[in-house]
Amino acid sequence: MRFLEGNNDGEFSLTKDFVGDNIPKYAILSHTWGEDIEEVTFEDLKNGTGKSKAGYKKIQFCGEQAGRDGIRYFWVDTCCINKSNNTELARAINSMFRWYRNANKCYVYLSDVLGSMSNINNSHQLPWELAFRASRWFTRGWTLQELLAPASVEFFSREGECLGDKKTLERQIHQITNIPITALRGTPLSQFNVEERLLWAETRQTTHGEDKAYSMLGIFDVYMPLIYGEGREHAFKRLRKEIQDSLIENGHLIDAQSRSCIQDLRIKDPREDKKRIEQTKGGLLEDSYRWIIDHVDFLRWRHDKQTRLLWIKGDPGKGKTMLLCGITNELRKSVGKSDLLAFFFCQATDSRINSATAVLRGLIYLLADQQPSLLTHIQKKYNHTGKQLFDGTNAWVALSEILTNILEDQILQNTYLVIDALDECVTGLPLLLDFIIRKLSVCSRVKLIVSSRNRPSIEEHLNTATQKARLCLELNEDSVFDAVNKYIRFKVDELVHLKKYKDETRDAIHDHLSSNAHGTFLWVALVCQDLKEVPKWKVLGRLKAFPPGLDSLYQQMMDQIHYSDDAELYKQIIAIMSTVFRPITLVELTSFVPALKDLSNDYESLGEIIRHCGSFLTLRGHTLYFTHQSAKDYLLGRACNKLFPLNIAEVNYVIFSRSHEIMSRTLRRNIYEIETPGFPIDSVKPPDPDPLNIIGYSCIYWVDHLCASQNTICLSNNSIVHIFLKEHFLHWIEALSLLKSVINGILAIHKLENFLISIKSPSLYKFVYDIKRFTRYYQSLIEKTPLQLYCSALVFAPERSIVRRQFERYIPPWIQRKPKMRVHWDAALQTLNGHTGSVNSVAFSPDSKQVASGSNDNTVRLWDAATGALRQTLKGYIGPVYSVAFSPDGKQLVSGSADKTVQLWDAATGAPRQTLEGHTSWVYSVAFSPDGKQVVSGSADKTVRLWDAATGAPRQTLKSHTGWVCSVAFSPDGKQVVSGSDDKTVRLWNAATGAPQQTLEGHTSWVYSVAFSPDGKQVVSGSADKTVQLWDAATGAPRQTLKGHTGPVYSVAFSPSGKQVVSGSADNIVRLWDVATGAPRQTLEGHTSWVRSVAFSPDGKQVVSGSADKTVRLWDAATGALRQTLKGYTNPVCSVAFSPDGKPLRTLRASDDWIVKGISNIFWLPRDYLPTCQATWNGIIVLGHFSGRISFFEFSQETNLII
């Protein structure tokens, strides 16, 4: 290590190269590099030059500061390394972290921070603090290790003024860098997981791409040779490999947080599922699958680089699953050591492994288990959301992104994926199929095998794959029959060993099975299973009773049940199992079948009863499943009349009725006896026994069964449903929170509300509408802290909310003073959070089920309008998205962006369909024609363009505007286009010819938004002149000028009836107007920044708005907000205080969005109640808010806060 040493005359010179333990005490400089010509180099110092360079000043500063600290030697990277010597440079970079760590002092020289800077607008900050927070030093890659490695880091301004050190400035440094304070204080970096450390550097930049990876070597305590020119991606690939090898070598392959992540990811281990399947089917017989390994289609898939997808299809019982078990075994033996193999076996009868998200979780789990460095892709999202990443409403979106990133990771060589039984993916199959086509089957290093039944819907999707092979079992009849015969020999030998059959009996069984199996493995398995229970002397007689074919065999099993002594009981059980929406436990079964009521703890007797239900059902642990999906298909098809003598609706009503009965008996407040009201859901541990075990299914599905029963008697006013909700609504939602199924509750409430529309039960309908508003408004809170249902949710509900009035008695007595609330629910239904930039455009799908939003974060997002759940994040733009619109059939989405392109998307899957290129500047507005055949776009290039929606070909370019085109729309008949521009005009065009028809003049500033009325007779426009203008579309004459906004109007839209107009403005307000009179109808307040986009739902009942506050909000178009506030303030409240005789109660305080007592969260605060300041006294806390409102809360000072 070579140093600089100060001379008596103030000059500096290079020392010899110190090695080993002879390193003297030294100081070290941390700084940001300027231009290369400004920095003093090793050669400069050797030649005695460089003093005139700008960089010399910081070297001089470092030497002088070291001298003041009594340190003789100091080190500066610009001039102490001979960079022309590659060996020395590589050694220095790999040693850099250690050199900074061993320094006695580290001086950070901030050339862009002046110690004397003033800060008039932020008097609460130190004079230099704004510049400190914005310093370039915090954005550079190499300075990360220079911050973390040394024990002593001191910060200096450009003038050499000491601003503080790492300890005194740790709060600011933490806020700037997001690095944990514990890391700043010297906690060993190995205590932080790999992904977290990588995130610290994610936004930092280096001059050379490779240096982004090289600068992390010390952070991970690894060494690797430098290869400048390899590129950033390859450098990171090598870095990750070194990190993984280091973890393995040190016995820390997976740290604690990584273990937690992978445990939460795992639903079931697919390897265990594979073993269970093989054991259930009597073991994997190599002879029964060997034929496929030598099949031409399999060999083509295995060896042809262009054939990435193999689809194996066949009818039920043909052995597809066992084929894939065998293929998996063969691949495991033959793939390379660095290759990865992951597989998943779908089963429709097991809710844990019958969804698209479960498939992705299983594949990701196996890949990460084999290659732990891949966990970094999961932890990027997991560190922010925890377990909800994998089972929350947005799980599919997150998991598909994670798997895509994993498969694109440069560290992977070849990856083999196997997915069995696509037809048994009950939830999200279209999403999975699209993901297979768009991502998995086109990835150059991925080989994929899938299997399914012969389903047209699956075939339709998979036929679009271009690089595939198809293997149909029905077209390989000889191979399948031969494999079944080998399986028969195996099963007969098994029976002979068990039952000690004579040779003639063995031959008779073999011959019968061979003659009647018809190439179906499942038929052989079911017959052999039944023969195990038949006495040896009866076997030949019984053998002849087994009919050929699966359906005939199922029919015989049904007949045996019908003539048994307990036929009604068995049929009840099978009917229940055929009707429920997921497999149920034995305990849950006893709640639906009265005859089993007293057997809820007698698993042995229950198991015996299940064994008498033919071979339709099987037990795994204490959960009931169908033996095969084909058994359930048979029961709901050919056996339907026998199984449901009346109709299936009656069975649904029985399940609803039993569910209602047991929920009413079991549900209560604080059912888990949680100790504190703010206790988070992730820390809740169920009691033993768990009271929700028996009612879990009922809580989630009772509404589904009620609606399926079509029984309307129980939905009258003061009916059993009405009474249940009035007594147990909060208890029910609490239980759903504990079951982590609040989203299911919201969907159930929507379903119930829709069911009630045609039933004359006004009181019940109002109640259900109110609980919908209550649950949607507080969804996030309820999901995280169940007991806040009885605290914040009730306290902040409107005074006339039915839920509040009905359950006000549940508000804990220790909440003694509450704020005065609005009288009714305001218009805001829900706030959708997720965008990381301003929301510029929003739109409803034609069926009102989805909302699309476009944002400055370069993404388009699709949301579920009923639940607020994120469905898709559409990526690909390299600039902000300014406009989104659905096609009239709802199947496509169009968006326009600052990257000058128009993009067409598949609205169901999120897949890109077309990219329309031609604009030469930002695209501000897009729309579909009413027939969906054309797209119109308006751009900052001053043109309007018409495109063919099917081919993406340009049709017309409309030129006349002299400024940017901010908004475009088609007329309802598709014959006209309207456009608004910053040239202050609105123009009407002929859509067929592109000829201009009208120029509407009257606005005095930019026209930001235009729209036609539903009848095409009027045009509405919104302008920067703060007005909304209504025009006659035929004559161009102005009809109304709507005034009221105090800022530019960015977005306007007509209601479907044409009677209302909605507008959004820079005054943060959404307004509803009467078209006939121009009078304002509603003022919708709640956004905290500009409203950039507004739209009506197709039924006119809701309004959606998108804002620069990064949120999308849903509003009720019929009602308005009535808020209570303390009036008289014209500016934000900056301070509140009690009179001098008040004594503060220090244990009560507001922290973020909670009121905290001691260390416990007790009371949640909604967004508009977040405080700017606070004061407490004797259990009273007063909060000041940005809006100018002041809120008072009073809590008793009891030690125990009982719910």
Side-chain angles (χ1 to χ4, degrees):
M1 188 176 185
R2 186 185 296 110
F3 296 106
L4 287 167
E5 181 180 10
N7 305 323
N8 295 331
D9 57 2
E11 299 292 321
F12 309 107
S13 60
L14 289 166
T15 69
K16 65 175 184 178
D17 200 355
F18 289 91
V19 295
D21 297 329
N22 298 320
I23 305 293
K25 180 179 177 181
Y26 64 93
I28 200 164
L29 180 70
S30 175
H31 64 107
T32 55
W33 283 48
E35 295 295 329
D36 285 345
I37 59 173
E38 297 176 358
E39 298 297 341
V40 179
T41 67
F42 175 78
E43 291 299 325
D44 288 332
L45 289 185
K46 291 285 286 184
N47 298 330
T49 59
K51 291 183 182 179
S52 61
K53 291 186 175 182
Y56 192 77
K57 180 181 176 182
K58 52 191 171 189
I59 299 175
Q60 195 172 26
F61 154 76
C62 185
E64 292 172 354
Q65 186 60 42
R68 284 191 285 272
D69 289 331
I71 301 175
R72 179 178 174 183
Y73 299 99
F74 62 99
W75 188 89
V76 181
D77 57 354
T78 58
C79 55
C80 289
I81 305 171
N82 181 4
K83 297 180 180 64
S84 63
N85 184 324
N86 290 334
T87 302
E88 181 175 336
L89 177 62
R91 184 189 66 184
I93 288 178
N94 278 280
S95 305
M96 196 82 70
F97 186 90
R98 178 166 49 86
W99 289 354
Y100 274 89
R101 184 184 61 204
N102 294 340
N104 295 86
K105 291 277 188 177
C106 175
Y107 307 133
V108 178
Y109 180 79
L110 303 175
S111 59
D112 52 0
V113 177
L114 296 175
S116 59
M117 283 184 66
S118 62
N119 187 0
I120 298 170
N121 296 324
N122 291 276
S123 57
H124 63 283
Q125 292 184 318
L126 297 171
W128 45 266
E129 189 174 337
L130 274 183
F132 179 76
R133 289 175 177 273
S135 176
R136 182 169 175 263
W137 188 84
F138 289 108
T139 70
R140 306 306 295 167
W142 289 104
T143 57
L144 176 62
Q145 65 177 0
E146 295 163 17
L147 170 66
L148 295 173
S152 171
V153 180
E154 297 176 359
F155 294 87
F156 293 85
S157 69
R158 185 193 301 178
E159 306 87 353
E161 176 186 345
C162 185
L163 307 175
D165 59 28
K166 186 161 64 169
K167 184 175 181 181
T168 61
L169 296 173
E170 69 177 19
R171 178 181 61 84
Q172 290 94 331
I173 297 170
H174 165 66
Q175 292 170 350
I176 297 165
T177 64
N178 288 323
I179 296 172
I181 286 177
T182 51
L184 297 175
R185 291 178 178 176
T187 298
L189 296 184
S190 59
Q191 299 290 314
F192 303 91
N193 67 56
V194 170
E195 180 55 33
E196 186 172 8
R197 283 180 272 173
L198 286 171
L199 281 174
W200 297 343
E202 189 171 47
T203 59
R204 292 174 178 257
Q205 301 299 320
T206 55
T207 303
H208 302 289
E210 299 90 346
D211 280 338
K212 186 83 179 275
Y214 301 162
S215 65
M216 299 294 290
L217 294 174
I219 303 291
F220 292 103
D221 195 20
V222 296
Y223 171 90
M224 68 184 200
L226 310 185
I227 311 175
Y228 281 104
E230 67 176 320
R232 176 180 165 182
E233 283 191 7
H234 194 271
F236 264 103
K237 178 180 178 181
R238 291 198 298 125
L239 175 63
R240 290 194 186 101
K241 180 70 166 59
E242 293 296 335
I243 293 170
Q244 184 182 355
D245 291 346
S246 175
L247 290 171
I248 294 171
E249 186 178 334
N250 294 306
H252 301 299
L253 187 57
I254 300 182
D255 55 45
Q257 189 165 354
S258 299
R259 276 195 297 273
S260 174
C261 175
I262 205 163
Q263 285 167 3
D264 287 342
L265 170 66
R266 178 186 183 273
I267 309 177
K268 296 180 71 181
D269 188 330
R271 292 167 296 203
E272 295 174 3
D273 284 328
K274 179 176 175 290
K275 287 179 184 177
R276 172 183 53 76
I277 290 167
E278 292 172 0
Q279 291 168 359
T280 302
K281 296 178 183 291
L284 179 61
L285 182 63
E286 185 173 339
D287 287 344
S288 67
Y289 71 78
R290 189 70 234 173
W291 66 273
I292 203 169
I293 304 302
D294 300 318
H295 193 279
V296 62
D297 289 325
F298 180 83
L299 292 172
R300 175 184 156 207
W301 171 84
R302 187 74 178 85
H303 300 296
D304 179 9
K305 290 183 179 180
Q306 300 305 313
T307 305
R308 300 194 179 105
L309 170 64
L310 174 62
W311 174 28
I312 299 173
K313 64 172 191 164
D315 289 336
K318 295 296 183 182
K320 297 182 293 296
T321 297
M322 296 305 274
L323 273 179
L324 264 65
C325 286
I327 289 172
T328 302
N329 287 353
E330 293 298 319
L331 287 175
R332 189 181 285 146
K333 297 176 192 174
S334 61
V335 299
K337 288 185 178 180
S338 59
D339 296 339
L340 299 184
L341 169 65
F343 48 86
F344 192 88
F345 293 84
C346 295
Q347 285 193 273
T349 53
D350 187 337
S351 59
R352 294 169 296 178
I353 52 175
N354 69 359
S355 67
T357 54
V359 174
L360 297 198
R361 286 176 74 169
L363 296 176
I364 293 170
Y365 172 77
L366 286 185
L367 293 172
D369 189 59
Q370 297 169 74
Q371 186 80 286
S373 64
L374 297 176
L375 275 171
T376 58
H377 298 290
I378 310 169
Q379 287 173 320
K380 284 180 183 178
K381 295 179 180 290
Y382 180 81
N383 290 344
H384 295 292
T385 58
K387 190 176 181 180
Q388 275 211 318
L389 173 67
F390 308 125
D391 52 23
T393 53
N394 303 327
W396 170 261
V397 176
L399 290 166
S400 56
E401 287 182 9
I402 289 169
L403 184 53
T404 299
N405 292 336
I406 284 175
L407 296 176
E408 292 174 352
D409 193 316
Q410 295 299 310
I411 200 171
L412 295 188
Q413 298 299 319
N414 296 308
T415 303
Y416 296 86
L417 303 178
V418 177
I419 306 173
D420 178 52
L422 290 175
D423 53 283
E424 298 198 39
C425 177
V426 176
T427 306
L429 178 59
L431 290 173
L432 179 59
L433 289 170
D434 181 72
F435 187 71
I436 288 171
I437 300 302
R438 284 194 304 113
K439 297 292 184 182
L440 302 186
S441 67
V442 297
C443 188
S444 61
R445 288 172 294 156
V446 173
K447 289 274 189 173
L448 172 68
I449 297 180
V450 298
S451 74
S452 76
R453 294 192 198 181
N454 294 301
R455 290 276 174 85
S457 59
I458 295 175
E459 183 147 3
E460 183 181 332
H461 275 84
L462 295 184
N463 276 345
T464 62
T466 56
Q467 299 169 322
K468 69 176 183 295
R470 180 187 343 214
L471 199 159
C472 178
L473 297 184
E474 281 70 34
L475 297 179
N476 290 273
E477 189 177 83
D478 291 344
S479 297
V480 174
F481 269 61
D482 183 57
V484 170
N485 284 330
K486 291 174 180 176
Y487 181 68
I488 290 171
R489 284 198 294 274
F490 171 74
K491 296 301 288 185
V492 171
D493 288 344
E494 193 179 64
L495 282 171
V496 169
H497 179 76
L498 176 70
K499 308 289 285 187
K500 310 299 183 189
Y501 292 141
K502 293 180 179 179
D503 290 347
E504 55 267 28
T505 304
R506 180 194 62 200
D507 293 341
I509 295 172
H510 182 274
D511 292 344
H512 186 82
L513 294 179
S514 298
S515 301
N516 293 277
H518 297 172
T520 304
F521 286 88
L522 180 59
W523 185 89
V524 176
L526 290 172
V527 171
C528 291
Q529 181 179 322
D530 197 71
L531 287 176
K532 287 180 181 180
E533 307 299 323
V534 177
K536 186 163 54 172
W537 58 276
K538 284 186 175 183
V539 70
L540 292 178
R542 183 62 180 274
L543 191 62
K544 295 174 184 177
F546 290 119
L550 273 180
D551 281 356
S552 299
L553 183 59
Y554 287 146
Q555 176 65 51
Q556 183 190 73
M557 288 158 53
M558 199 66 208
D559 290 341
Q560 289 172 352
I561 290 172
H562 183 72
Y563 293 110
S564 65
D565 292 339
D566 294 301
E568 290 308 311
L569 172 61
Y570 303 148
K571 283 198 282 187
Q572 272 187 58
I573 293 171
I574 294 174
I576 294 289
M577 282 298 297
S578 300
T579 309
V580 292
F581 295 99
R582 66 155 171 82
I584 56 176
T585 64
L586 289 173
V587 172
E588 289 169 335
L589 177 67
T590 61
S591 67
F592 301 139
V593 181
L596 304 179
K597 182 179 178 181
D598 297 328
L599 297 177
S600 59
N601 293 317
D602 189 350
Y603 292 121
E604 185 176 345
S605 298
L606 289 171
E608 186 178 345
I609 292 169
I610 298 305
R611 283 192 291 276
H612 283 85
C613 293
S615 293
F616 289 112
L617 304 178
T618 185
L619 268 175
R620 295 180 201 152
H622 297 314
T623 302
L624 272 170
Y625 299 89
F626 280 99
T627 52
H628 195 269
Q629 183 61 29
S630 61
K632 184 176 181 180
D633 294 342
Y634 169 79
L635 292 168
L636 290 175
R638 298 191 178 187
C640 190
N641 292 334
K642 286 188 177 181
L643 193 59
F644 309 108
L646 298 174
N647 55 59
I648 197 168
E650 287 295 321
V651 181
N652 276 294
Y653 185 77
V654 166
I655 296 174
F656 156 71
S657 178
R658 303 294 181 201
S659 295
H660 167 265
E661 179 184 325
I662 195 164
M663 286 192 301
S664 299
R665 195 168 62 241
T666 307
L667 290 172
R668 58 183 174 84
R669 179 171 56 171
N670 197 5
I671 194 168
Y672 275 7
E673 298 181 359
I674 298 169
E675 294 180 358
T676 58
F679 203 72
I681 187 69
D682 290 334
S683 300
V684 172
K685 293 183 179 179
D688 188 15
D690 185 348
L692 296 183
N693 277 346
I694 196 168
I695 62 170
Y697 179 89
S698 297
C699 285
I700 295 172
Y701 294 106
W702 69 270
V703 172
D704 295 279
H705 287 292
L706 169 61
C707 295
S709 75
Q710 294 295 309
N711 187 304
T712 59
I713 298 174
C714 56
L715 290 172
S716 60
N717 292 332
N718 295 314
S719 61
I720 58 172
V721 172
H722 199 174
I723 293 169
F724 170 77
L725 292 174
K726 287 197 289 187
E727 291 180 357
H728 295 294
F729 164 66
L730 289 184
H731 306 152
W732 172 49
I733 298 298
E734 178 196 335
L736 287 172
S737 175
L738 294 168
L739 292 166
K740 298 186 177 180
S741 299
V742 172
I743 190 70
N744 297 88
I746 291 173
L747 292 172
I749 292 167
H750 276 274
K751 197 168 193 175
L752 187 58
E753 182 188 28
N754 291 333
F755 195 46
L756 282 166
I757 289 174
S758 60
I759 301 170
K760 294 181 179 179
S761 302
S763 295
L764 178 56
Y765 185 83
K766 288 178 182 177
F767 197 108
V768 171
Y769 176 80
D770 201 76
I771 66 176
K772 178 188 77 172
R773 297 301 307 272
F774 182 91
T775 312
R776 285 184 65 175
Y777 195 86
Y778 295 112
Q779 176 184 349
S780 178
L781 171 68
I782 297 166
E783 287 176 330
K784 294 174 183 175
T785 47
L787 294 190
Q788 285 299 305
L789 264 171
Y790 308 102
C791 302
S792 297
L794 284 178
V795 167
F796 288 113
E799 290 182 354
R800 293 191 183 176
S801 160
I802 297 173
V803 173
R804 176 165 177 159
R805 285 185 291 167
Q806 182 70 30
F807 298 101
E808 198 156 14
R809 66 188 185 278
Y810 284 121
I811 296 177
W814 46 265
I815 303 176
Q816 297 178 344
R817 183 172 179 178
K818 302 177 283 289
K820 186 170 179 61
M821 294 305 299
R822 59 197 183 279
V823 179
H824 301 286
W825 287 107
D826 61 28
L829 288 173
Q830 198 158 15
T831 299
L832 313 181
N833 295 295
H835 281 297
T836 58
S838 299
V839 179
N840 298 317
S841 182
V842 288
F844 269 103
S845 61
D847 60 6
S848 299
K849 292 181 179 179
Q850 290 192 88
V851 167
S853 57
S855 168
N856 278 356
D857 63 10
N858 303 354
T859 70
V860 175
R861 293 178 188 246
L862 291 173
W863 312 81
D864 187 297
T867 65
L870 180 64
R871 285 187 171 183
Q872 298 277 354
T873 299
L874 314 183
K875 297 181 179 180
Y877 280 119
I878 57 175
V881 180
Y882 287 122
S883 184
V884 292
F886 279 96
S887 61
D889 61 7
K891 293 181 179 179
Q892 291 191 83
L893 186 75
V894 64
S895 54
S897 166
D899 68 5
K900 308 175 188 178
T901 67
V902 176
Q903 183 74 54
L904 289 169
W905 310 84
D906 187 298
T909 65
R913 286 189 170 184
Q914 298 275 358
T915 299
L916 316 182
E917 297 178 305
H919 281 295
T920 58
S921 189
W922 300 357
V923 179
Y924 275 124
S925 184
V926 291
F928 271 99
S929 62
D931 60 6
K933 294 180 179 179
Q934 291 189 83
V935 166
V936 62
S937 57
S939 167
D941 64 8
K942 306 178 186 179
T943 68
V944 176
R945 292 179 183 252
L946 292 169
W947 313 80
D948 187 295
T951 66
R955 286 190 170 184
Q956 298 276 356
T957 300
L958 316 183
K959 300 177 180 179
S960 277
H961 280 297
T962 58
W964 295 1
V965 180
C966 302
S967 182
V968 291
F970 274 98
S971 61
D973 60 7
K975 295 180 179 180
Q976 289 180 289
V977 166
V978 63
S979 58
S981 167
D982 75 348
D983 63 11
K984 307 177 187 177
T985 68
V986 176
R987 295 177 186 257
L988 293 171
W989 313 78
N990 184 301
T993 66
Q997 293 183 333
Q998 297 275 357
T999 299
L1000 315 183
E1001 296 178 301
H1003 282 298
T1004 59
S1005 189
W1006 289 25
V1007 179
Y1008 283 121
S1009 182
V1010 291
F1012 273 100
S1013 61
D1015 61 7
K1017 295 180 179 180
Q1018 292 189 78
V1019 167
V1020 64
S1021 57
S1023 168
D1025 64 12
K1026 307 176 187 177
T1027 69
V1028 176
Q1029 187 79 47
L1030 291 169
W1031 312 81
D1032 187 295
T1035 67
R1039 286 190 172 184
Q1040 298 274 1
T1041 300
L1042 314 182
K1043 297 181 179 180
H1045 282 297
T1046 59
V1049 178
Y1050 285 121
S1051 184
V1052 290
F1054 274 98
S1055 65
S1057 67
K1059 295 180 179 180
Q1060 291 188 85
V1061 161
V1062 62
S1063 57
S1065 166
D1067 61 10
N1068 306 352
I1069 291 174
V1070 178
R1071 292 179 185 265
L1072 292 170
W1073 311 83
D1074 186 289
V1075 170
T1077 66
R1081 284 189 171 185
Q1082 300 281 357
T1083 300
L1084 313 181
E1085 298 179 277
H1087 280 298
T1088 58
S1089 191
W1090 301 356
V1091 179
R1092 304 298 297 269
S1093 180
V1094 290
F1096 273 98
S1097 63
D1099 60 8
K1101 293 181 180 180
Q1102 295 184 79
V1103 167
V1104 62
S1105 58
S1107 165
D1109 64 9
K1110 306 177 186 177
T1111 68
V1112 177
R1113 293 183 184 237
L1114 295 172
W1115 311 81
D1116 189 296
T1119 64
L1122 292 174
R1123 296 177 179 269
Q1124 296 290 334
T1125 111
L1126 301 178
K1127 298 181 179 179
Y1129 294 89
T1130 58
N1131 290 306
V1133 177
C1134 297
S1135 179
V1136 291
F1138 280 100
S1139 57
D1141 59 354
K1143 297 179 180 179
L1145 182 65
R1146 296 186 181 279
T1147 59
L1148 194 66
R1149 69 187 192 282
S1151 176
D1152 296 324
D1153 53 358
W1154 283 92
I1155 291 178
V1156 179
K1157 189 167 187 179
I1159 60 172
S1160 299
N1161 295 336
I1162 64 169
F1163 193 78
W1164 173 81
L1165 297 168
R1167 178 182 295 204
D1168 48 352
Y1169 278 82
L1170 299 183
T1172 56
C1173 53
Q1174 59 183 291
T1176 57
W1177 178 73
N1178 277 354
I1180 299 174
I1181 185 166
V1182 59
L1183 306 178
H1185 309 287
F1186 187 82
S1187 64
R1189 182 175 57 241
I1190 295 175
S1191 301
F1192 289 81
F1193 300 85
E1194 184 173 359
F1195 303 91
S1196 71
Q1197 298 187 53
E1198 299 173 13
T1199 304
N1200 295 320
L1201 303 178
I1202 301 171
I1203 296 296

